[in-house]
Amino acid sequence: MVNHIVMWNFKAELSGQEKQEAASRIKRELEAVKEQVPGVVSLSVVTDGLPSGNKDIGLISVFESVEALHNYQVHPAHVAAGQYVGSVTEGRCCLDYEA
């Protein structure tokens, strides 16, 4: 299994309402990709982290293999969602690892 964890902060210029709307859209769009790409074991977007964290939104996902992760990353639905995510976030960090 391959774990793929990504976290972002929203751009500082977004209002609180814009951040809430962006979080909902990111969650909806990324979680929809799960049903479209073979090899996704689990995928969830966390939008309600605790105040002790230093990131606003996170993606926690598990794939059957490195190949499945790659297929997810290049899938048109993921690419489209990623373009939106990039337009409203900054400070992306990512950790991929095999378990």
Side-chain angles (χ1 to χ4, degrees), residues 7-78:
M7 294 177 287
W8 306 265
N9 284 321
F10 288 112
K11 289 185 175 178
E13 63 266 18
L14 296 180
S15 69
Q17 179 66 30
E18 288 171 323
K19 289 176 183 179
Q20 288 178 347
E21 291 169 2
S24 293
R25 180 173 171 182
I26 290 168
K27 182 174 181 66
R28 182 176 61 251
E29 290 188 15
L30 285 178
E31 288 182 354
V33 177
K34 177 185 177 193
E35 305 306 321
Q36 301 176 46
V37 181
V40 180
V41 175
S42 65
L43 187 152
S44 63
V45 175
V46 179
T47 60
D48 56 353
L50 298 175
S52 56
N54 63 3
K55 292 293 182 185
D56 296 324
I57 190 164
L59 166 69
I60 312 296
S61 52
V62 179
F63 297 85
E64 291 176 353
S65 65
V66 171
E67 180 181 11
L69 172 59
H70 172 75
N71 291 339
Y72 161 80
Q73 290 172 323
V74 299
H75 190 279
H78 175 263

